Amino acid sequence: LIQTGTEAHLVSHPLKWLQERLPGELFARISRSAMVNLAHVREFHPKSHGDGVIVLADSTELVVSRTRRRQVLAALTRDAAG
């Protein structure tokens, strides 16, 4: 499922397929089941077990997995600097 604010689109491909087609400087994989547009990330909150939570511009909260945390933080830092 791709959520675009007000619309939802059902996609029958794996997330990896979508990840390979989206620009890596604009999108980040945050878990096995989710990707986000970095332009819509407002905040990142680390959690005690190595995972974290990102808050989107519309106040939606999404979990960032432990295995993706470092990559997501690097992408957010790169996005803020660019």
Side-chain angles (χ1 to χ4, degrees):
L1 184 66
I2 298 174
Q3 184 68 42
T4 62
T6 59
E7 297 180 24
H9 305 275
L10 186 59
V11 177
S12 60
H13 296 283
L15 194 54
K16 183 173 176 66
W17 179 88
L18 186 61
Q19 181 179 3
E20 292 169 351
R21 285 156 179 77
L22 292 172
E25 66 275 4
L26 301 177
F27 292 86
R29 181 107 177 236
I30 63 168
S31 68
R32 289 181 63 197
S33 60
M35 289 185 70
V36 295
N37 182 330
L38 296 170
H40 295 278
V41 177
R42 187 175 67 199
E43 301 170 14
F44 176 84
H45 301 284
K47 297 296 180 183
S48 61
H49 296 287
D51 55 346
V53 173
I54 57 171
V55 180
L56 301 180
D58 67 356
S59 299
T60 300
E61 294 185 0
L62 300 170
V63 174
V64 177
S65 71
R66 284 184 305 228
T67 58
R68 302 282 180 174
R69 179 181 170 173
R70 184 172 292 161
Q71 297 154 323
V72 171
L73 287 174
L76 289 171
T77 303
R78 185 176 59 243
D79 186 55

